[in-house]
Amino acid sequence: GDVYKRQWRQVVGPVIAAQTRQVRLVKGTLYVHVQSSVIRNELMMQREALVRAINEKSGMALVAGIVVQ
């Protein structure tokens, strides 16, 4: 079901997870909505590392890319 949501929380930690308004996975792309422009910029810079971390934690290639909105 929502394995990717649990992985997202574990990877970004409670502070950023609390700032995340919506997380959804569509055809391998993780769409993340955050209201803070500071957090949005931080996540944009870390997208590749976040993809790797989520996939490692889930034990499969769950996410191919992240779109931060």
Side-chain angles (χ1 to χ4, degrees):
D2 291 347
V3 168
Y4 64 92
K5 288 182 183 177
R6 203 166 44 249
Q7 304 302 357
W8 175 256
R9 281 192 296 274
Q10 289 178 1
V11 167
V12 298
V15 174
I16 292 179
Q19 296 291 320
T20 304
R21 295 289 164 247
Q22 183 181 9
V23 180
R24 61 193 171 94
L25 185 64
V26 180
K27 297 181 180 173
T29 301
L30 191 65
Y31 292 88
V32 180
H33 291 261
V34 291
Q35 291 188 315
S36 164
S37 59
V38 173
I39 291 175
R40 187 179 311 119
N41 290 340
E42 187 67 27
L43 293 175
M44 297 263 295
M45 289 188 292
Q46 295 183 24
R47 280 184 299 197
E48 289 180 23
L50 292 169
V51 167
R52 278 195 306 273
I54 290 169
N55 289 338
E56 283 174 14
K57 283 195 176 297
S58 65
M60 62 182 112
L62 195 64
V63 177
I66 296 177
V67 174
V68 183
Q69 300 172 315

